[in-house]
Amino acid sequence: MKTALIVIDMQNDYLYEKRKPKFSYDTASLTKNVNALIHQYHDNGSDVIYIRHIIQNLPTNRLLFGFSIAGTEGAELYSGLDIVSDLCFDKLVGDALSNKQLRELIQQKGYETLRICGLDECGCVTATALGAAKRGIRAEIISSGTATVFPQKKVDKAHRKLEKAGVRFI
């Protein structure tokens, strides 16, 4: 079974000390867990693919969002993240598979399973897993490598939706 590890949105704006207070992730624990996964999959011969959420650098977006703005330090991959490949794709929406080049790579490499970790479990991780399932690609979310800032009620709702779509948690 050909598997790739997809590392979603592990970017400065969500993890470094200058982040907005709403991104209250436990950076040290999450980064340690994700880095362990990166090395585990890389050492076992699986590709590790990094995803960055990028928002156009427009005055309105800088005001409305103020994070993940194209061309800023905050939009770059988190400095504490271990980079083991040059497979890095940008996305403009939650589902990483909205990126055509990523879909082409998945097809070219023949990945049967995407193992997903990163941020946010109730946001882009869920959107990407659902996007994979919709396209007939097995998606599995690695619980130890994800985090969320959303309340448990939203987490439970996302889990029900994912389970209905056939996405597994490992």
Side-chain angles (χ1 to χ4, degrees):
M1 173 171 63
K2 194 153 184 186
T3 302
L5 178 67
I6 308 291
V7 180
I8 297 184
D9 297 352
M10 293 288 290
Q11 294 165 260
N12 286 327
D13 270 343
Y14 307 117
L15 297 169
Y16 70 174
E17 56 282 338
K18 295 187 281 185
R19 68 184 178 222
K20 292 179 181 283
K22 71 179 179 178
F23 299 124
S24 58
Y25 304 106
D26 180 346
T27 298
S29 176
L30 178 63
T31 303
K32 177 183 172 195
N33 291 347
V34 170
N35 282 339
L37 291 167
I38 287 168
H39 290 287
Q40 174 189 336
Y41 281 83
H42 183 257
D43 292 350
N44 288 333
S46 294
D47 286 332
V48 176
I49 302 169
Y50 302 90
I51 306 296
R52 297 184 319 156
H53 189 90
I54 300 295
I55 298 172
Q56 281 186 298
N57 193 344
L58 301 171
T60 52
N61 288 345
R62 287 192 302 271
L63 287 172
L64 287 173
F65 300 103
F67 56 88
S68 290
I69 302 296
T72 66
E73 174 190 18
E76 296 304 317
L77 292 174
Y78 178 58
S79 60
L81 186 67
D82 292 343
I83 308 299
V84 298
S85 82
D86 61 357
L87 298 174
C88 184
F89 297 88
D90 293 344
K91 62 182 177 61
L92 303 175
V93 297
D95 178 5
L97 297 176
S98 63
N99 181 300
K100 182 180 178 185
Q101 289 79 26
L102 176 58
R103 289 193 314 270
E104 289 171 352
L105 177 75
I106 290 168
Q107 183 176 23
Q108 172 195 4
K109 295 273 193 162
Y111 301 128
E112 298 171 50
T113 302
L114 300 180
R115 298 246 168 95
I116 303 169
C117 65
L119 297 173
D120 180 285
E121 182 182 341
C122 290
C124 298
V125 169
T126 290
T128 300
L130 291 172
K134 179 178 87 174
R135 292 170 175 90
I137 303 165
R138 181 181 301 127
E140 298 175 342
I141 296 173
I142 305 173
S143 298
S144 67
T146 62
T148 188
V149 294
F150 291 96
Q152 190 62 45
K153 184 175 179 180
K154 183 162 182 153
V155 172
D156 294 341
K157 182 178 179 182
H159 281 217
R160 286 191 300 274
K161 192 172 187 178
L162 288 160
E163 289 167 4
K164 185 176 179 183
V167 175
R168 287 183 353 140
F169 288 86
I170 59 172

